[in-house]
Amino acid sequence: MEKVNFAEDAITSFEELRDIIGVPHELVIKKTISMMEDQCKNFISNSPLLFLSTS
C-alpha cells in the first residue's frame, strides 16, 4: 500500500476540488428545506451520526 503525503497531495483550492469531483447537479444544489417534517425528525432520531450544514 502506497503512503499518502498529505502535505503534497492536499487540495488547496476550490478549482482543484472541482477538477476532481466536478460540478454538482442542479438538483443537489437546490436540495434544501426550511423546516424539518416528522419524517426527517424520525430519520435523524434513529441515526447514530448526523452532519448538519447551514449557510
Side-chain angles (χ1 to χ4, degrees):
M1 186 168 159
E2 186 178 336
K3 289 186 179 181
V4 176
N5 183 331
F6 290 103
E8 291 178 9
D9 298 331
I11 298 169
T12 58
S13 71
F14 181 78
E15 290 76 21
E16 283 182 280
L17 181 61
R18 281 289 163 240
D19 287 343
I20 294 169
I21 65 168
V23 178
H25 190 275
E26 181 182 353
L27 292 175
V28 173
I29 294 170
K30 291 182 176 182
K31 187 173 80 171
T32 62
I33 58 173
S34 59
M35 60 184 250
M36 292 195 308
E37 299 171 344
D38 289 338
Q39 183 180 4
C40 291
K41 292 175 186 178
N42 186 44
F43 179 80
I44 292 169
S45 68
N46 288 302
S47 299
L49 179 64
L50 169 72
F51 295 94
L52 176 65
S53 175
T54 64
S55 60

